[in-house]
Amino acid sequence: MIVAIRKMGDPCLLTPSTAIAPEEFNSMELKQLIQNLRDTQRHLGGVGIAAPQIGINKRVLVIEYYQTQIARYSDIGDCPLRVIINPEITPMGDDLSVFNESCLSLPGLCGEVIRPQAIRYRYHDETGQLYEGEDADFFARVLQHECDHLDGVLYPMRMQDMSKLAFVDALVAG
Ligand code: NI
């Protein structure tokens, strides 16, 4: 089900989210939440969405993107739907990357954010299965952005230079 997206200013987006408890895995409630996240993200054309963005302060997010559908980024590859629950991420190495991020909760805007290039991650899917891995590409960027949502952090709060906050259409026009 497509649900209303919460926008910057909504207290939900600034509230740290709580972990999914062991007994919540495989529940109907969790399945419904994941479906709503997936439907809403597909409807709005995002690459990732976290539960607080639809008003649910739980540590659940989904990431899904396909190179052919995302004209605004090049060389991102494909990421079929990944359901990510209770994620933990740790930076690997000292390399940083600069990227012009956008967010469904700040429609029309984008801004330059510096983040660790490479991360190690651990998360569970909706059945409770554990996934572990490393990434230094677009997935690492999206996962860091989405994990911030679970801690009540929006990307402008990470920006070092607020003059790099812009409307996407102004950048294109400029
Ligand atoms: Ni976002």
Side-chain angles (χ1 to χ4, degrees):
M1 189 173 70
I2 297 165
V3 296
I5 191 85
R6 303 296 178 101
K7 293 181 191 161
M8 184 167 63
D10 188 309
C12 252
L13 294 171
L14 299 175
T15 306
S17 291
T18 55
I20 293 296
E23 62 271 18
E24 289 180 272
F25 287 97
N26 288 305
S27 67
M28 274 312 295
E29 196 190 352
L30 183 59
K31 281 199 180 90
Q32 188 62 59
L33 169 59
I34 290 160
Q35 235 174 59
N36 291 349
L37 285 169
R38 188 200 60 194
D39 293 349
T40 304
Q41 138 138 315
R42 284 181 182 170
H43 175 69
L44 296 174
V47 297
I49 189 172
Q53 294 183 272
I54 57 167
I56 308 290
N57 282 115
K58 295 201 166 179
R59 301 188 83 81
V60 179
L61 59 96
V62 305
I63 295 177
E64 182 182 36
Y65 52 81
Y66 302 96
Q67 180 71 71
T68 51
Q69 290 169 5
I70 309 286
R72 64 184 183 277
Y73 307 127
S74 56
D75 301 326
I76 58 169
D78 289 341
C79 178
L81 185 73
R82 284 215 221 184
V83 174
I84 295 175
I85 296 172
N86 299 345
E88 291 167 41
I89 52 176
T90 39
M92 287 171 63
D94 297 325
D95 287 355
L96 299 173
S97 79
V98 183
F99 194 84
N100 210 14
E101 295 190 10
S102 55
C103 180
L104 297 175
S105 295
L106 287 76
L109 290 168
C110 63
E112 244 179 48
V113 185
I114 300 169
R115 297 187 189 270
Q117 173 78 46
I119 56 163
R120 187 170 287 129
Y121 59 81
R122 253 171 89 88
Y123 65 83
H124 297 268
D125 72 5
E126 68 274 27
T127 69
Q129 192 184 328
L130 178 68
Y131 291 81
E132 289 179 284
E134 295 170 359
D135 198 88
D137 296 318
F138 187 65
F139 180 76
R141 169 64 58 165
V142 178
L143 184 56
Q144 290 180 81
H145 174 114
E146 299 309 330
C147 285
D148 268 354
H149 278 302
L150 306 183
D151 295 327
V153 174
L154 297 170
Y155 76 78
M157 296 156 71
R158 293 268 186 213
M159 290 179 64
Q160 293 180 356
D161 179 356
M162 288 304 286
S163 75
K164 303 283 188 182
L165 186 66
F167 285 99
V168 176
D169 57 6
L171 284 185
V172 171

